[in-house]
Amino acid sequence: MRHQIAAANWKMNLTYKQGKILLDEIMNKQIALEPHKKAIFAVPFPYLRMAKKKIKDRENYSIAAQNCHHLKSGAYTGEVSAEMIKSVGVGFVIIGHSERRQYFNETDALLSEKVNIAIDHHLTPIFCCGESLPIRESGKENEFVAGQLKNSLFHLPAEQIQKIVVAYEPIWAIGTGKTASSQQAQDMHAWLRSVIAKQYGQPVADTISILYGGSVKGSNAVEIFSQPDVDGGLVGGASLNGEEFAAIIRALK
Ligand code: 13P
């Protein structure tokens, strides 16, 4: 089954207390999620346990980490492993966000190792891809984003690629208030699904959730999520506001 997913990415925002208040606000809205829907909160590492407690065992609510190291364990001061994330009861991890690619020099090759270690520890990767403005303006966005998937995911066997959630986040739409149009999102999502289908077959491609990220808000989520190949969103700024993120969860189809 292909899930429709509203994923909050808090990035490096909110204090512990602010995070607790925000989660309480959203969970108190008691938004019931049918089995094909999920709400996920990607919170900073020190808040994972607290966030896990806040969602309790509410059906189809989950917690994600925002990153993990690519190796199992060892002398890597300040790093957090996939095994550690799993050991606190967390089920998802964002891998390859454009901010990590840009500011922490994460390459496609490194990200393929992160995907592997996450899967080895039964974490579901939310794998991010997306092009910069110059790439879009040069008309090469399709081959660029397909290349990101091929380089970091296509070594996986079919039963493992089905465990990945893909998030398409055009860099020019992140934090800029400028969303891709719902047609631009649909075009890229359909293209990426066709690239996956070519490698793994249509039935596999049809099971993979592809989220859109980039200035999603309560007011545009219904329109963007209504596109047939858009299976929800990965949300930064608007996920820091309870009313906004609740509206985004409610916009899932
Ligand atoms: P914004 O929703 O703030 O544009 O951020 C998108 C994003 O990067 C989510 O991972």
Side-chain angles (χ1 to χ4, degrees):
M1 178 175 46
R2 188 152 115 210
H3 286 100
Q4 303 297 310
I5 300 172
N9 178 7
W10 288 4
K11 308 189 182 183
M12 196 173 75
N13 291 299
L14 307 178
T15 62
Y16 187 75
K17 191 170 168 194
Q18 289 168 333
K20 269 166 97 167
I21 291 170
L22 177 58
L23 284 169
D24 278 338
E25 182 187 347
I26 296 168
M27 298 314 290
N28 284 341
K29 293 179 187 296
Q30 307 277 350
I31 305 170
L33 296 174
E34 298 111 281
H36 72 285
K37 295 183 185 174
K38 278 186 194 298
I40 302 175
F41 299 91
V43 305
F45 289 128
Y47 310 167
L48 288 172
R49 283 293 290 165
M50 173 276 286
K52 180 80 189 150
K53 279 201 200 125
K54 288 282 174 205
I55 62 164
K56 300 203 187 87
D57 32 21
R58 285 275 294 282
E59 295 250 19
N60 304 318
Y61 283 80
S62 301
I63 302 302
Q66 297 175 13
N67 179 35
C68 68
H69 196 264
H70 62 287
L71 296 175
K72 193 172 180 323
S73 62
Y76 302 100
T77 302
E79 291 297 320
V80 174
S81 71
E83 188 175 33
M84 291 170 185
I85 294 165
K86 188 68 191 179
S87 74
V88 293
V90 167
F92 292 81
V93 58
I94 296 177
I95 291 179
H97 193 281
S98 60
E99 289 149 15
R100 297 217 51 95
R101 294 175 187 261
Q102 182 180 350
Y103 305 127
F104 302 93
N105 302 318
E106 296 194 353
T107 61
D108 289 351
L110 176 82
L111 297 174
S112 78
E113 293 185 50
K114 291 194 179 201
V115 165
N116 290 344
I117 199 110
I119 291 177
D120 284 350
H121 291 93
H122 309 286
L123 289 172
T124 299
I126 301 173
F127 179 80
C128 301
C129 56
E131 81 287 357
S132 63
L133 189 57
I135 294 172
R136 166 115 345 214
E137 285 173 345
S138 72
K140 298 217 159 53
E141 67 275 14
N142 280 10
E143 64 186 88
F144 178 83
V145 183
Q148 291 180 315
L149 295 196
K150 286 178 189 162
N151 294 340
S152 300
L153 299 180
F154 280 12
H155 62 286
L156 297 172
E159 69 272 14
Q160 288 187 348
I161 193 118
Q162 292 187 68
K163 297 186 181 144
I164 305 273
V165 174
V166 173
Y168 168 61
E169 301 203 307
I171 295 167
W172 45 272
I174 295 178
T176 58
K178 188 173 154 189
T179 42
S181 69
S182 55
Q183 191 58 52
Q184 282 173 320
Q186 167 59 22
D187 290 349
M188 179 59 83
H189 286 220
W191 158 249
L192 293 179
R193 203 178 300 287
S194 77
V195 171
I196 297 168
K198 199 161 167 220
Q199 181 77 8
Y200 293 98
Q202 196 66 47
V204 169
D206 285 340
T207 64
I208 296 181
S209 301
I210 307 180
L211 316 185
Y212 168 79
S215 301
V216 174
K217 324 186 257 280
S219 57
N220 60 23
V222 170
E223 156 81 13
I224 297 170
F225 297 174
S226 69
Q227 297 298 318
D229 285 289
V230 178
D231 305 310
L234 180 57
V235 186
S239 77
L240 303 174
N241 177 293
E243 286 298 326
E244 282 286 318
F245 194 62
I248 291 165
I249 298 173
R250 290 192 178 104
L252 292 173
K253 61 178 178 273

